[in-house]
Amino acid sequence: MNLETLYEYSLSKKAVTEHFPFDQDTLVFKVGGKMFALASLSEWEKGNPAVNLKCDPDWADELRIQYDDIEPGFHMSKVHWNTVKVNRGVSDSFLRELITHSYELVFKSLTKKIQSEILALKN
C-alpha cells in the first residue's frame, strides 16, 4: 500500500479529518476529534512505511504474536495501539481491515450524541 492509498482509505471513513497536531511530520486521522491512525511522512519517504492503529487489547496481543510486522505502538499506549509495518508481512486487504477496526473502536468510544451526529452526516 502506498501513502496515497492509506490516506484515501482513511479519509473515506465517515467524518474523518486529518491533522498535524504534534509536528509537520506526523499525519493523524481522527473521527469525532479522537485519533484512530497516525503515520510519519518522513518514514514513508525513507522507505520505512508504518502506521499506528488503535486495536482491541486482546486482539493486539494475538496480532503481535502472529505477525512480525505488527508491534506495540511506537510512542503510544502499548496496550491499545499497534504499529503496523506496511508492505511487508501484512497484506493491503488486512491493513484495510485493521484501519477499519481502529476507526470503529474509536467511533464506539464517542458519546452517543457525537455518534448520532456523525451517522446523520451524508457521506
Side-chain angles (χ1 to χ4, degrees), residues 35-113:
M35 299 186 299
F36 73 92
L38 301 87
S40 165
L41 299 180
S42 64
E43 287 301 314
W44 280 74
E45 289 172 6
K46 291 178 195 173
N48 302 313
V51 60
N52 284 6
L53 299 169
K54 194 146 192 176
C55 191
D56 170 78
D58 292 331
W59 197 35
D61 287 338
E62 290 176 30
L63 292 171
R64 293 171 194 165
I65 292 166
Q66 193 173 2
Y67 293 90
D68 291 336
D69 296 314
I70 298 179
E71 302 172 343
F74 182 69
H75 287 308
M76 306 295 286
S77 164
K78 309 299 186 220
V79 175
H80 297 281
W81 289 84
N82 280 335
T83 297
V84 181
K85 295 177 184 176
V86 179
N87 299 328
R88 295 196 186 168
V90 177
S91 69
D92 287 1
S93 61
F94 189 54
L95 180 54
R96 285 184 184 91
E97 184 180 328
L98 294 173
I99 293 167
T100 298
H101 173 71
S102 181
Y103 172 87
E104 290 173 351
L105 271 180
V106 173
F107 180 82
K108 289 175 187 173
S109 76
L110 301 171
T111 65
K112 296 294 180 197
K113 180 180 185 242

